[in-house]
């Protein structure tokens, strides 16, 4: 069996290392991949968004499955293009990936089907948006670009000045191009955030272990928003009672809604949830595995991932029991100093073995290059150092012990990943 994974970050490395554990012993390919991934899969220099290039690569490799991991190729229709050529592909088609590709689509879907989410209005005219903000006069308020914006399309405006500036740069200055021609202005929600990834074949939805991301760059949730500086799983705020409520009020209704709209969703659907005093509400949907959520969720998966991919593709997920290790996982992201704004690449990483690993932990490479038998930094987020253990405290200790053994010039990471989860567990 051969599998081609599209993408080249920590998430894709975690997917590939899970596939490498499969009893089906698949031959693994990745495009574009990275230095760490290249130690586990043959990598090809094709951009994740290059649909014709990726289809040509698939024609050459003839994989049994193509796994499209990142948001952009999914929203651009890579799954449709692969399927048109007869390749069995994991991931939603473009008409379902729109659940992440357009915030307006997802808000309208939730409103139409009564799925709990924050109140909102849609605007394409900055003057009307600003008049609405002034009339509301409640802060913080949330301003979101409709389309994909490299994870930077959400502004939590603390006052009128910030809100007006965000509206003007999105609509008038097209800060994110056509992605910000239309915006959503949304009610600010509070409560613990939970990420729940799920497998779905369009009919059945199987939630994975819950997780908690740490999005801000600095300790104490200070600094800029990033792609994610660390994760833990499971999320202690996500109790069995809340899981049941989410299944009934959010997960199943979403899958059914997509089906009724003629947009059946197949692949991994990510629910970004806020546990508010009025119950769980959807903050966002992602049409793919989260990064770095995948790095803590997949190591806890017991079931063979290849079997799941096959069951999803063949629409018989309901027949496959999926089981999880009763353990905890923690991932600490090591980044280049200056991330997410400006940083240097090409620094020599020390402390890793020839496979880019370290005993006792899993190192998922997010941005590395492997040349002359050395790993070099090649991105903002560089490594996701992940440990699993019976307790969260032990998983965190193991992950940070490993972090302490890895160096490069101007490395940056948070020291407080998982501390809030630990307090919640003990409290
Ligand atoms: P997103 O890019 O949609 O993941 O949003 C980034 C982050 O903004 C989320 O993880 C939340 O922490 C925050 N956020 C998004 N929408 C809201 C909201 N309505 N209320 C409060 N925080 C929000
Ligand atoms: N970690 C959040 C995301 O993948 O969107």
């Amino acid at each position: 069996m051969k599998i081609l994974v599209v993408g080249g970050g920590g998430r894709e490395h975690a997917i590939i290392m899970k596939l490498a554990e499969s009893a089906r012993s698949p031959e693994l390919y990745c495009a574009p991949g990275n230095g760490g991934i290249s130690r586990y899969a043959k990598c090809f220099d094709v951009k994740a968004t290059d649909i014709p290039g990726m289809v040509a690569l698939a024609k050459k490799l003839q994989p049994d499955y193509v796994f499209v991991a990142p948001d952009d190729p999914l929203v651009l229709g890579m799954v449709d293009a692969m399927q048109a050529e007869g390749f069995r592909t994991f991931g939603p088609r473009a008409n379902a990936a729109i659940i992440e590709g357009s915030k307006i689509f997802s808000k309208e879907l939730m409103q139409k089907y009564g799925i709990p989410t924050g109140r909102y209005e849609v605007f394409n005219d900055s003057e009307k948006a600003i008049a609405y903000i002034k009339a509301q006069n409640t802060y913080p308020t949330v301003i979101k670009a409709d389309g994909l914006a490299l994870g930077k399309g959400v502004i939590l405006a603390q006052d009128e000045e910030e809100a007006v500036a965000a509206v003007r740069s999105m609509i008038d200055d097209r800060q994110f191009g056509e992605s910000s021609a239309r915006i959503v202005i949304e009610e600010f929600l509070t409560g613990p955030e939970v990420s729940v990834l799920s497998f779905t074949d369009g009919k059945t939805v199987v939630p994975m272990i819950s997780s908690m991301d740490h999005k801000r760059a600095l300790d104490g949730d200070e600094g800029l928003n990033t792609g994610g500086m660390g994760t833990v799983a499971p999320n202690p705020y996500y109790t069995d009672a809340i899981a049941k409520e989410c299944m009934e009020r959010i997960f199943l209704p979403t899958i059914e809604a997509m089906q009724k709209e003629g947009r059946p969703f197949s692949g991994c659907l990510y629910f970004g949830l806020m546990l508010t005093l009025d119950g769980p509400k959807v903050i966002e949907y992602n049409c793919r595995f989260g990064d770095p959520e995948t790095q803590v969720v997949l190591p806890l998966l017991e079931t063979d991932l290849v079997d799941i991919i096959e069951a999803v593709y063949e629409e018989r997920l309901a027949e496959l029991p999926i089981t999880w290790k009763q353990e905890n996982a923690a991932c600490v992201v090591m980044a280049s100093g200056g991330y997410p704004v400006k940083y240097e690449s090409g620094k020599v990483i020390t402390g890793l073995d020839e496979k880019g690993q370290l005993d006792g932990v899993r190192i998922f490479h997010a941005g590395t290059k492997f040349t002359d038998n050395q790993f070099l930094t090649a991105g903002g987020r560089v490594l996701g150092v992940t440990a699993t253990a019976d307790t969260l405290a032990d998983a965190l200790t193991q992950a940070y012990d490993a972090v302490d053994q890895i160096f490069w010039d101007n490395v940056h990471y948070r020291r407080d990943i998982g501390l809030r989860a630990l307090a919640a567990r003990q409290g």
Side-chain angles (χ1 to χ4, degrees), residues 43 63 69 99 112 114 133 153 174 177 208 210 253 280 335 367 372 378 389 420 426:
C43 293
I99 201 166
K112 181 167 168 189
I133 286 166
R174 291 289 199 272
M208 302 184 213
S210 62
D372 298 331
R420 184 176 304 159
Q426 283 150 4

Side-chain angles (χ1 to χ4, degrees), residues 103 142 144 151 154 156 186-189 193 215 225 274 283-284:
K103 303 242 190 242
V142 184
K144 299 183 172 181
V154 176
L156 308 178
E186 193 177 298
E187 168 191 17
F188 180 79
L189 301 172
E193 271 185 73
K215 286 203 159 99
N225 249 319
M274 186 84 87
I283 294 195
E284 60 163 349

Side-chain angles (χ1 to χ4, degrees), residues 389-411:
D390 286 340
T391 66
L392 177 59
D394 286 349
L396 286 165
T397 303
Q398 287 171 29
Y400 275 112
D401 282 350
V403 165
D404 287 339
Q405 297 175 56
I406 302 168
F407 297 96
W408 66 85
D409 180 31
N410 207 12
V411 54

Side-chain angles (χ1 to χ4, degrees), residues 141-189:
T141 186
V142 184
I143 298 166
K144 299 183 172 181
D146 176 43
L148 293 183
L150 302 167
K152 296 185 181 125
V154 176
I155 301 293
L156 308 178
Q158 299 301 326
D159 53 34
E160 185 181 308
E161 195 183 329
E162 281 182 27
V164 169
V167 168
R168 289 226 178 279
S169 68
M170 285 193 196
I171 297 182
D172 295 346
D173 305 340
R174 291 289 199 272
Q175 186 187 2
F176 304 111
E178 285 311 298
S179 279
S180 64
R182 295 200 297 163
I183 62 170
V184 172
I185 299 183
E186 193 177 298
E187 168 191 17
F188 180 79
L189 301 172

